[in-house]
């Protein structure tokens, strides 16, 4: 299926399928292509899959934070004319989905989050990598997955390009600090939206205990595990990820 991004006024996004809108939010180092398996599957199942490119590196530094990105998502949903949507987010995208739901609960019919920040996440390590250290970046990218082969050269090259761009490095650190500042622990018990938590049992970035904490704090959540899986379940085990999501959507009549 053609997953070419649409450039539309101030938004850049992929849109495939017809039906109930599922808006997918990518992570800090994650591109739109990370969700190819999800988009191809659910766009044939009565869902409209929409993946906006988040303005992580293009907004003013004062708007480079979780709250501003959540507002951006709300504006995008309004622009697309959607009444209520299902939000699916990975990593930082999960955090933005959660914060958006806190701010605009009337816009969200359901939440699917996988490897989400918002409570705790392990950063790049003790120090930001030296620019030009490709091997270091390769090792870091591979550590995101249970199977290091999932970190293709294309993925490593994308991360390497970010690390070698001074402005993007500054904004990446700004976002990381914002993620810590916008901790959701106090908000989650008040959020009653139907929530599907899908976690890799071997996630080293947001470890399994983070998923258990999300499940404990969120009143209306279900937690599903994927074995031999790291931080990006929808990339590492797309078929199992899709099966869990489909069963959950059916169970919740979404």
């Amino acid at each position: 299926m053609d997953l070419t991004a649409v450039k539309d006024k101030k938004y850049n996004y992929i849109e495939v399928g017809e039906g109930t809108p599922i808006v997918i939010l990518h992570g800090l180092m994650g591109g739109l292509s990370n969700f190819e398996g999800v988009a191809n599957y659910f766009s044939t199942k009565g869902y409209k899959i929409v993946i906006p490119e988040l303005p992580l590196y293009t907004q003013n530094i004062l708007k480079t934070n979780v709250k501003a990105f959540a507002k951006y998502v709300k504006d995008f949903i309004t622009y697309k004319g959607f009444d209520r949507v299902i939000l699916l987010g990975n990593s930082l995208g999960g955090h933005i989905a959660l914060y958006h739901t806190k701010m605009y609960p009337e816009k969200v019919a359901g939440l699917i989050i996988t490897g989400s920040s918002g409570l705790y996440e392990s950063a790049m390590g003790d120090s930001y990598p030296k620019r030009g250290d490709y091997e270091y970046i390769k090792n870091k990218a591979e550590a995101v997955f249970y199977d290091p082969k999932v970190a293709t050269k294309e993925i490593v090259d994308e991360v390497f390009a970010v690390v070698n761009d001074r402005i993007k490095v500054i904004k990446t650190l700004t976002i990381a600090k914002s993620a810590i500042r916008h901790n959701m622990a106090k908000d989650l018990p008040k959020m009653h939206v139907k929530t599907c938590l899908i976690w890799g049992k071997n996630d080293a970035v947001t470890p399994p205990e983070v998923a258990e904490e999300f499940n404990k704090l969120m009143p209306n959540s279900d937690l599903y595990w994927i074995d031999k899986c790291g931080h990006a379940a929808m990339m590492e085990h797309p078929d199992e990820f899709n099966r869990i999501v489909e069963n959950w959507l059916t169970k919740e009549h979404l």
Side-chain angles (χ1 to χ4, degrees):
M1 186 171 289
D2 179 27
L3 292 184
T4 309
V6 177
K7 188 78 177 143
D8 203 352
K9 297 209 172 158
K10 65 174 184 170
Y11 300 108
N12 195 26
Y13 61 96
I14 286 167
E15 183 174 325
V16 285
E18 288 302 329
T20 305
I22 298 179
V23 175
I24 296 179
L25 306 178
H26 62 82
L28 185 56
M29 297 287 181
L32 307 191
S33 62
N34 291 14
F35 295 92
E36 196 173 335
V38 176
N40 287 337
Y41 187 80
F42 285 99
S43 59
T44 65
K45 299 279 182 179
Y47 294 94
K48 182 190 280 289
I49 305 298
V50 189
I51 317 176
E53 190 175 316
L54 298 171
L56 305 184
Y57 301 119
T58 54
Q59 294 204 137
N60 178 298
I61 196 89
L62 298 174
K63 287 189 176 177
T64 303
N65 58 67
V66 170
K67 186 175 180 179
F69 297 145
K71 169 80 166 61
Y72 180 92
V73 171
K74 186 251 188 184
D75 291 345
F76 176 73
I77 290 169
T78 302
Y79 168 73
K80 289 300 297 173
F82 299 144
D83 180 26
R84 294 173 84 221
V85 304
I86 297 160
L87 282 179
L88 190 165
N90 170 240
S91 200
L92 175 70
H95 195 166
I96 294 166
L98 286 161
Y99 208 87
H100 175 280
T101 304
K102 171 196 164 179
M103 290 169 72
Y104 316 104
E106 71 288 350
K107 289 274 178 201
V108 184
L111 260 183
I112 303 158
I113 59 173
T114 179
S116 178
S117 58
L119 288 176
Y120 163 82
E121 70 280 349
S122 163
M124 287 291 278
D126 300 330
S127 61
Y128 210 76
K130 292 190 283 293
R131 285 201 272 174
D133 191 343
Y134 189 85
E135 203 53 37
Y136 180 93
I137 298 302
K138 182 170 178 282
N139 291 338
K140 281 290 177 189
E142 288 176 349
V144 168
F145 304 101
Y146 176 80
D147 177 1
K149 289 198 290 292
V150 180
T152 60
K153 184 175 186 305
E154 187 184 7
I155 288 170
V156 176
D157 287 350
E158 278 177 25
V159 177
F160 187 70
V162 169
V163 168
N164 279 279
D165 181 318
R166 197 176 67 84
I167 300 298
K168 286 185 177 177
V169 167
I170 291 166
K171 291 198 168 181
T172 298
L173 294 171
T174 303
I175 292 165
K177 285 178 185 161
S178 159
I180 294 162
R181 202 167 61 246
H182 291 93
N183 187 285
M184 303 289 296
K186 290 192 174 74
D187 304 306
L188 296 177
K190 302 173 206 150
M191 291 166 58
H192 291 270
V193 64
K194 295 171 180 178
T195 303
C196 175
L197 303 162
I198 305 175
W199 236 262
K201 279 194 175 171
N202 311 89
D203 188 339
V205 182
T206 46
E209 55 268 28
V210 177
E212 287 163 357
E213 188 71 7
F214 269 118
N215 194 32
K216 191 175 88 181
L217 290 171
M218 299 189 83
N220 206 356
S221 63
D222 296 299
L223 174 57
Y224 303 92
W225 298 102
I226 298 182
D227 205 12
K228 295 183 178 170
C229 180
H231 187 56
M234 70 289 166
M235 293 173 73
E236 206 158 358
H237 292 280
D239 294 343
E240 195 172 348
F241 184 87
N242 290 342
R243 182 183 57 76
I244 292 169
V245 171
E246 186 172 28
N247 289 345
W248 181 80
L249 290 170
T250 303
K251 176 174 86 77
E252 297 296 346
H253 307 291
L254 289 171

